[in-house]
Amino acid sequence: MKRIFSSHLPALFLGMVFIFCLGGCSKETAPVSDNLAKVQVVLGGIDNKEVSTLKASSGSSSTVAKTQVQTIRLDEGMYLQANLTRLDGNEQAGSVAGGSVSLKAGINKTKAVATPVANGIVYRVLVFDDAGNYVDQADYTVGGDMSRQFFVNPHKTYTFICYSLNGSSALAPFTVGAGQNLSDLTASFNIPYTSQVDNDLMYQRIDLPVVPGLNTLDVVFKHKFTELTAKLDGTAFGNITQAEVYFASSYPTVDLKLNTGAIEYTGWSGWVKEVIFPTINTPVIISNPTIIACPADDEYRKIYGGFTIGTIYKSFDIPGLTIIPGERYALNLVIKKDPSQLGNLIWAPGYLKYDGTTNLYSFTSNTGLGDYFPFGQIYPYGDPRVYDRSQANLGDPCLSINDGYLWRTPTKADYETLEVLGPVENRVVNGVSGAWYPTSATTGVFFRAAGYKDNQSTPSNPIWEPTNVWLWSQTSEGYLEEGSSGGMYAFNMLPPNAGNTRETQIERRELNTLPVGSNDFSRFRGSQIRCVRNH
């Protein structure tokens, strides 16, 4: 019988398989056809670290405060308060278009959450074997062709080095010389002085044990440089017609150690990076995000610049702010009329207090306890006129302070300036607990927790909710008569949570239909008052 297959076909077939594997496996020894390992690259996004896990530097075990505050005097009636706040993972994710995405776990990998990388971004993946020898590399574009796979030997662990400048320009070619190993390979990058793109270095190292068949390489980048967005607030004075803010230093070149991700900052350290404000001539101006290449311990590090409001130009210099590479920061620069200004208002040094013997009003110390004033009453609990609603007994008690300033009880809108600051630090000062709003590195406005009183209070239970900070405003709605639907607004700083912060909220306290003295929402509830002035 005539044979159907030619004796030359098996050899030809095996030769084709060998050529195919040789072309697909690059410099790695080709795997046999029945035991093939492929690695598919999947870009998950950018991982933003949580603040609680960050350290002051790679060699320090002490954490850095999330918000650093400095206040500097510009002249007799003008101060600049600088608040540098490091954004945590959720805040960083929220500032990136598209929000966060859940990543595929991959082989024996835990799931992560990251922010997406924009389409058009170019990144590179380098492959090394378990001895650190170079195997292969490929460049990818987000949103582009991802069909390029790596063919490697199964049952081995490979190291994948991934990096990007978070830009759309092609990456500079990377060549591995004969005899070079991953342990001594470095990639160098030039950081343009003026450019705000193609200079945000991102990196990840992945050690992946590969198995026969398809393996997934989940790439989740980490930022290596600092991103800074600045806001300059001149509300207390007027429109900002000119502004410049600079960050020093920002290095022009860096070397990335591929094996560890460590950065060596090279070139002249005297370079600075300008923060660009796209819109001016308004009371508040906000900059574009600025990428800065600077180590945490740089001796030249500072923020400086100047601004013009009306015909007045002022320069400033803010040294000593700690910047941790790889994190995103918000720099809030508030131009103030007084160092104790908070939320564009100057807050009294303590709570309001009335002396019935001398008929004088005064302020307590920062941590002292004032009197409990019912809403709209100029006399506090303990005075016989407190329940008398005669017109002579009604009004704003802060107006009675005679120290040359125009003090007043805060309005609902005034408390909204505090509410937008979010949760406030709980602090114990001189043995008492309260809410702390910093105005400099060492000073702040302290609101002692004092609860409230009403006419149901007794000697054994004189204070309700003593761990809360309750403060009346001067804002009301409707008729303030018992049985009406009118109401008053108060500011409530809740008891401290597990993170030692206090949530804040503005509350409308309705009178409803209960008789005088039998309901906690009566206008006769007495709270502390912290007076404010505009200048």
Side-chain angles (χ1 to χ4, degrees), residues 71-81 232 237 305-307 309 312-318 334-337:
T71 297
I72 59 175
R73 181 178 179 272
L74 302 176
D75 63 27
E76 183 63 30
M78 185 179 287
Y79 298 79
L80 183 69
Q81 178 178 310
L232 185 58
F237 290 89
F307 59 86
I309 297 181
I312 300 174
Y313 174 81
K314 295 294 180 183
S315 61
F316 60 86
D317 193 318
I318 309 169
V334 182
I335 307 166
K336 302 164 46 170
K337 295 182 178 180

Side-chain angles (χ1 to χ4, degrees), residues 3-15:
R3 300 181 66 182
I4 298 177
F5 298 101
S6 168
S7 61
H8 298 289
L9 288 178
L12 177 61
F13 175 76
L14 291 175

Side-chain angles (χ1 to χ4, degrees), residues 374-395:
F375 183 87
Q377 297 279 133
I378 62 175
Y379 299 109
Y381 273 102
D383 189 281
R385 294 163 288 188
V386 70
Y387 297 114
D388 187 346
R389 291 185 178 175
S390 300
Q391 193 62 34
N393 299 329
L394 302 179

Side-chain angles (χ1 to χ4, degrees), residues 82-110:
N83 295 268
L84 183 67
T85 301
R86 184 174 58 221
L87 304 179
D88 64 25
N90 291 333
E91 291 169 315
Q92 294 194 37
S95 66
V96 177
S100 61
V101 293
S102 296
L103 303 181
K104 181 179 178 182
I107 299 176
N108 299 323
K109 299 291 182 181
T110 57

Side-chain angles (χ1 to χ4, degrees), residues 351 367-372 432-435 446-453 462-471 493 502 526-529:
Y351 290 137
T367 59
L369 187 63
D371 288 314
Y372 290 84
V432 297
S433 177
F446 180 73
F447 295 87
R448 173 177 175 167
Y452 69 91
K453 280 187 176 182
I463 305 296
W464 299 86
E465 299 184 359
T467 59
N468 289 50
V469 179
W470 272 106
L471 300 171
M493 305 183 198
R502 293 174 177 267
S527 294
Q528 299 286 305
I529 292 180

Side-chain angles (χ1 to χ4, degrees), residues 442-486:
T442 57
T443 63
V445 179
F446 180 73
F447 295 87
R448 173 177 175 167
Y452 69 91
K453 280 187 176 182
D454 64 22
N455 60 347
Q456 298 180 80
S457 299
T458 64
S460 61
N461 186 26
I463 305 296
W464 299 86
E465 299 184 359
T467 59
N468 289 50
V469 179
W470 272 106
L471 300 171
W472 274 132
S473 76
Q474 59 171 284
T475 305
S476 63
E477 291 179 346
Y479 293 103
L480 299 186
E481 300 295 336
E482 300 298 336
S484 74
S485 60

Side-chain angles (χ1 to χ4, degrees), residues 294-315:
C294 181
D297 56 354
D298 183 67
E299 61 179 319
Y300 301 106
R301 184 184 62 250
K302 67 177 180 178
I303 296 170
Y304 67 98
F307 59 86
T308 301
I309 297 181
T311 60
I312 300 174
Y313 174 81
K314 295 294 180 183
S315 61

